[in-house]
Amino acid sequence: MTRTGETETYDGRIGDGTGRAITVTSEGLPDWLAPVERAARTVEPEQLSRFLPPESGSGRQSAVLILFGEGEHGPELLLMERSGSLRSHAGQPSFPGGALDPEDGDPERGGPLRAALREAQEETGLDPSGVQIFGVLPRLYIPVSHFVVTPVLGWWRTPTPVVAVDPAETARVFTVPVADLTDPANRATTVHPSGHQGPAFLVESALVWGFTAGVIDRILHFSGWERPWDRSKQVPLDWRS
């Protein structure tokens, strides 16, 4: 890759038929996204999660697209709800994303960026040419599914219609205003049957928890968007979760 100021260009092309090179740039971002972009450049893996990729290098390489847009109610975030019939993380709200395919390329270079955009297109139908990647967070780990996840930050510069492309994989696609995510009334702590506790958001008729909620929680915190909330407010998860 080459670096010029705040822009990085990765070798390879996005598999969207446009032949565009993959560029990570903060140029032209709205002012409200600046705190997120700054946090992405400075945050350490240990500040995001206690679950980090195994030192052995094991785990299935994957990526998610954390896509910010501008909606009717201001800044918003794109999420989807996984189908209840899936073997892994069934019924959970999540970011668009999935495992890297061989055609995505090198996991250490542009592979996760291509995978995040490709999976988002396959799952939600969005046009990746309207997405500006402005940051990449450190890789994290989901022990239950053995995924090594690269969170890719995007600005939805040119929004396009989205829908659950394959109902067998995706139950619905929706956006959540950032104001709702920061509203203390919508925040809670989930309690898993295993005893593990983590942050959660009750938004858009959904309980956002687990890996997705953890990443959102850290983004809000390190971007300075977090508002004080009642961490003693608990939401139990049933045995199927």
Side-chain angles (χ1 to χ4, degrees), residues 37 48 124 137:
E37 192 275 333
L48 293 176
T124 74
L137 295 178

Side-chain angles (χ1 to χ4, degrees), residues 99-153:
L100 269 67
D101 285 347
E103 58 267 27
D104 293 323
D106 190 346
E108 301 297 330
R109 296 175 65 82
L113 281 67
R114 281 188 288 276
L117 290 171
R118 175 184 55 75
E119 287 282 347
Q121 183 180 30
E122 293 175 358
E123 293 173 332
T124 74
L126 67 76
D127 182 352
S129 66
V131 175
Q132 175 182 334
I133 297 176
F134 67 89
V136 181
L137 295 178
R139 281 184 290 192
L140 305 174
Y141 187 59
I142 304 180
V144 67
S145 55
H146 306 291
F147 277 109
V148 175
V149 186
T150 300
V152 177
L153 299 170

Side-chain angles (χ1 to χ4, degrees), residues 5-240:
E6 296 179 338
T7 299
E8 299 177 19
T9 300
Y10 290 78
D11 297 332
R13 304 287 170 173
I14 298 174
D16 61 0
T18 66
R20 296 182 297 117
I22 300 179
T23 298
V24 180
T25 179
S26 60
E27 182 178 354
L29 288 180
D31 290 342
W32 59 264
L33 261 181
V36 181
E37 192 275 333
R38 285 195 296 268
R41 285 188 278 111
T42 58
V43 71
E44 298 294 332
E46 296 80 5
Q47 294 176 303
L48 293 176
S49 175
R50 65 188 180 95
F51 298 113
L52 302 180
E55 294 183 0
S56 65
S58 63
R60 190 175 184 187
Q61 296 294 326
S62 64
V64 295
L65 180 64
I66 304 175
L67 185 58
F68 292 91
E70 191 88 50
E72 294 182 5
H73 303 288
E76 62 184 17
L77 191 62
L78 179 69
L79 294 176
M80 48 177 271
E81 187 174 304
R82 295 168 59 83
S83 169
S85 62
L86 293 175
R87 289 186 301 172
S88 179
H89 308 293
Q92 287 190 30
S94 68
F95 303 116
L100 269 67
D101 285 347
E103 58 267 27
D104 293 323
D106 190 346
E108 301 297 330
R109 296 175 65 82
L113 281 67
R114 281 188 288 276
L117 290 171
R118 175 184 55 75
E119 287 282 347
Q121 183 180 30
E122 293 175 358
E123 293 173 332
T124 74
L126 67 76
D127 182 352
S129 66
V131 175
Q132 175 182 334
I133 297 176
F134 67 89
V136 181
L137 295 178
R139 281 184 290 192
L140 305 174
Y141 187 59
I142 304 180
V144 67
S145 55
H146 306 291
F147 277 109
V148 175
V149 186
T150 300
V152 177
L153 299 170
W155 158 236
W156 211 354
R157 178 178 291 279
T158 307
T160 50
V162 289
V163 68
V165 175
D166 183 358
E169 292 190 0
T170 307
R172 65 174 174 139
V173 178
F174 59 100
T175 56
V176 180
V178 171
D180 288 354
L181 293 168
T182 60
D183 186 343
N186 297 331
R187 304 213 55 181
T189 298
T190 52
V191 182
H192 194 274
S194 67
H196 175 72
Q197 298 186 10
F201 301 83
L202 297 103
V203 290
E204 299 298 322
S205 302
L207 173 64
V208 183
W209 64 284
F211 173 84
T212 302
V215 173
I216 294 174
D217 172 78
R218 295 295 81 195
I219 288 175
L220 297 182
H221 176 76
F222 288 107
S223 299
W225 291 351
E226 184 180 32
R227 297 165 58 188
W229 56 283
D230 183 4
R231 298 174 186 272
S232 67
K233 177 183 175 182
Q234 296 187 342
V235 178
L237 297 171
D238 66 29
W239 65 271
R240 295 168 298 174

